[in-house]
Amino acid sequence: MANQNFSAMGNSLHFETELVHGGTLRSQFNETSEALFLTQGHVYDSAEQCEKRFVGEDPGYIYARFSNPTVGMFEKRIAMLEGAEAARATATGMAAVTAALMGLVRAGDHVVAARALFGSCRYVVEEHLPRYGVESTLVDGTDLAAWQAAIRPNTKVFFLESPSNPTLEVIDIEAVAKIAKAAGAKLVVDNVFATPLWQKPLALGADCVTYSATKHIDGQGRCLGGVILASEEFINTYVHTLLRQTGPAMSPFNAWVLLKGLETLSLRIERQTRTAALLADWLAEEAKVTKLIFPGRKDHPQAEIIARQMGGPSTLITLEIKGGKAGAYRFLNALRIFRISNNLGDAKSLAVHPATTTHQRFAPEVRESMGVSEGLVRLSIGLEHPGDLKADLAAALAAV
Ligand SMILES: *Cc1c(COP(=O)(O)O)cnc(C)c1O
């Protein structure tokens, strides 16, 4: 393979350039677009070469559960964007979170996590890990004293999501990373809502970052994917063998789709964020909107942290509609361009009612403590014309 790795030019290239060229590996045919290596395995020139490959003396691919050229390009490209030494792609975002957390702990250990977590992440921390003898404590992630107070001698992991789903709560990653380090714990950050464009947790002191590539990285609602990013040492020590042996591998086809998704990531995120900011400022003044949360506004509770730690706000807006659940349903059912869907980061604008979907399994008082009220609606802003989206939202508010 004629390995024309553009990144050999050094680390001086800008984000947008890396998105298009980073990690590209060309075959003997010198194709323009990244090739899709839809193969389970690879053949060897001789039994001797095969033996060397297995013991790691001959560099090259063995089996797609371990690695694949297309998956490898995706890993390389996203590692460059994140400023990470290493990346491992997984079948889904949840596979990435589960492997990162399970790789760090064993029976008798303890995990501290911010309570405002994506539902499945919270399941892993609250219900799955304890089955294997790993205890967990959930804290108000915005309260630094709570992180400190939750530490036990056996605390091995801190885990958080920022901005959180669906209340877009922002946690001071640098401060939490310092507390984790002093306690000898590793900090894992689920960076889905921020995207690689607006927040770099590794630069803020986190040990590991996870993404659901299903969201903004695909950005067109086609396939599932996930990725774990960290130092070489972290990956080799905690996740490399676990991933190889347990098998949550990314499909080469999905890696190819996601590579193409990365090429347009900054264009899409910048545009979607700009539209979200316009709509948030307008919605905040509407009478039937009783509360609005957007990380780009001065009235966001953590506006000062956002200014320090994020390069841009979000493609998501969370708002509370007058009239509780009935009001929220009237609003959702009147939307025509926004479609009702639990996905996010898509080219299509999407809306969801968290209390009856993503956060349905929680008791009402737990939901309330997470800020998920009955009137809450989460909007994921897409690539449509802002004027059309505004008109759609205005008509839906009029129906409330
Ligand atoms: C969607 C999501 C996940 C899970 O990703 P999948 O690709 O659906 O498995 C994890 N964390 C956050 C914050 C998410 O939004």
Side-chain angles (χ1 to χ4, degrees):
M1 185 174 283
N3 183 350
Q4 289 188 22
N5 196 337
F6 196 79
S7 65
M9 290 177 70
N11 292 328
S12 57
L13 298 171
H14 292 91
F15 192 86
E16 293 81 355
T17 311
E18 300 282 29
L19 281 169
V20 178
H21 295 281
T24 300
L25 209 56
R26 290 201 164 87
S27 78
Q28 68 273 34
F29 302 116
N30 268 325
E31 60 282 350
T32 310
S33 174
E34 296 75 1
L36 167 52
F37 292 91
L38 201 51
T39 179
Q40 294 166 341
H42 302 263
V43 296
Y44 312 97
D45 295 334
S46 65
E48 287 79 6
Q49 185 193 38
C50 183
E51 179 185 355
K52 284 209 171 96
R53 190 75 55 88
F54 269 77
V55 296
E57 286 169 11
D58 181 74
Y61 297 94
I62 298 174
Y63 188 55
R65 172 148 50 77
F66 303 169
S67 55
N68 168 276
T70 311
V71 177
M73 284 191 257
F74 171 72
E75 291 172 336
K76 187 86 199 274
R77 189 170 293 177
I78 190 143
M80 290 164 75
L81 301 174
E82 198 68 33
E85 283 174 14
R88 289 291 185 280
T90 54
T92 66
M94 279 321 300
V97 169
T98 307
L101 295 180
M102 302 248 347
L104 282 165
V105 293
R106 57 188 64 221
D109 288 344
H110 174 241
V111 173
V112 185
R115 68 181 175 207
L117 287 181
F118 179 71
S120 302
C121 293
R122 193 153 151 164
Y123 166 82
V124 171
V125 170
E126 238 184 338
E127 297 182 43
H128 187 70
L129 292 178
R131 283 171 43 189
Y132 301 92
V134 178
E135 295 189 330
S136 57
T137 306
L138 292 170
V139 298
D140 172 355
T142 62
D143 180 357
L144 296 177
W147 288 96
Q148 187 68 50
I151 294 167
R152 300 181 194 167
N154 56 343
T155 303
K156 293 288 161 59
V157 182
F158 273 22
F159 177 52
L160 65 87
E161 184 184 315
S162 179
S164 70
N165 178 29
T167 51
L168 306 178
E169 185 176 286
V170 173
I171 297 174
D172 187 337
I173 296 174
E174 198 165 10
V176 173
K178 281 200 184 111
I179 299 169
K181 204 175 179 94
K186 301 287 186 212
L187 173 61
V188 179
V189 175
D190 179 336
N191 206 41
V192 169
F193 272 52
T195 80
L197 193 59
W198 296 146
Q199 183 167 274
K200 305 246 188 267
L202 295 176
L204 296 165
D207 298 287
C208 175
V209 174
T210 63
Y211 285 103
S212 163
T214 314
K215 311 293 168 50
H216 301 87
I217 294 173
D218 177 336
Q220 293 171 67
R222 297 162 294 189
C223 60
L224 300 172
V227 63
I228 303 173
L229 297 129
S231 65
E232 286 285 357
E233 194 206 348
F234 184 105
I235 295 284
N236 289 333
T237 310
Y238 303 108
V239 298
H240 176 78
T241 307
L242 179 72
L243 291 174
R244 279 188 162 217
Q245 307 300 351
T246 61
M250 175 180 279
S251 137
F253 178 79
N254 288 5
W256 178 78
V257 173
L258 296 167
L259 260 171
K260 304 314 281 179
L262 283 176
E263 289 188 347
T264 57
L265 184 79
S266 68
L267 282 177
R268 289 183 287 106
I269 303 300
E270 279 167 16
R271 170 70 174 274
Q272 289 169 235
T273 301
R274 196 163 4 110
T275 307
L278 281 172
L279 294 174
D281 283 342
W282 166 72
L283 282 165
E285 303 301 325
E286 288 294 297
K288 286 172 184 167
V289 175
T290 49
K291 186 177 172 185
L292 182 131
I293 314 165
F294 182 66
R297 281 176 58 84
K298 289 203 170 62
D299 60 4
H300 188 286
Q302 288 93 35
E304 178 267 327
I305 299 170
I306 293 165
R308 263 192 288 127
Q309 110 180 355
M310 299 184 73
S314 184
T315 63
L316 293 125
I317 303 170
T318 296
L319 68 168
E320 197 175 63
I321 307 288
K322 196 173 171 178
K325 182 179 166 183
Y329 271 33
R330 251 178 253 127
F331 173 75
L332 286 166
N333 289 333
L335 290 167
R336 290 293 169 263
I337 296 172
F338 278 84
R339 304 316 314 255
I340 301 172
S341 174
N342 53 295
N343 198 12
L344 62 97
D346 203 277
K348 295 180 171 64
S349 289
L350 305 172
V352 73
H353 185 241
T356 53
T357 57
T358 53
H359 291 65
Q360 177 218 130
R361 67 181 193 93
F362 297 106
E365 58 281 7
V366 177
R367 265 205 302 275
E368 209 60 42
S369 80
M370 294 168 94
V372 182
S373 67
E374 292 293 311
L376 211 70
V377 170
R378 188 191 76 196
L379 300 176
S380 170
I381 307 304
L383 288 171
E384 302 93 337
H385 190 281
D388 293 338
L389 294 179
K390 185 176 167 186
D392 194 33
L393 294 167
L397 283 175
V400 173

